[in-house]
Amino acid sequence: MAKCEVCDKNILTGHRISITRSQVSRRANKIWRSNVKKVQILEKNGAVRRAKVCTRCLRSKKVTRAV
């Protein structure tokens, strides 16, 4: 399962709604998966480890990526 180790972002579920002439005609189950990457991160003590991190956490610099 794709789950961010930093912010615990997970899979969201809901309905895909088909609208015909301003009325809801059908509902189908839908899954939205988070954009999780497996990257090497740098911890506070200087150690490097692999972790599953979402791209939002990578972009907002919540995690330091090891190069």
Side-chain angles (χ1 to χ4, degrees), residues 17-33:
I17 297 175
S18 172
I19 298 175
T20 310
R21 294 188 184 178
S22 73
Q23 292 179 352
V24 175
S25 57
R26 292 190 180 118
R27 288 193 175 113
N29 292 332
K30 169 97 171 101
I31 295 176
W32 288 274
R33 291 183 176 87

Side-chain angles (χ1 to χ4, degrees), residues 11-50:
I11 292 175
L12 290 173
T13 59
H15 290 96
R16 179 185 297 134
I17 297 175
S18 172
I19 298 175
T20 310
R21 294 188 184 178
S22 73
Q23 292 179 352
V24 175
S25 57
R26 292 190 180 118
R27 288 193 175 113
N29 292 332
K30 169 97 171 101
I31 295 176
W32 288 274
R33 291 183 176 87
S34 55
N35 192 5
V36 175
K37 306 291 184 191
K38 195 171 185 180
V39 295
Q40 288 185 342
I41 62 171
L42 190 64
E43 293 184 335
K44 294 185 181 188
N45 60 359
V48 176
R49 71 175 182 98
R50 283 192 186 271

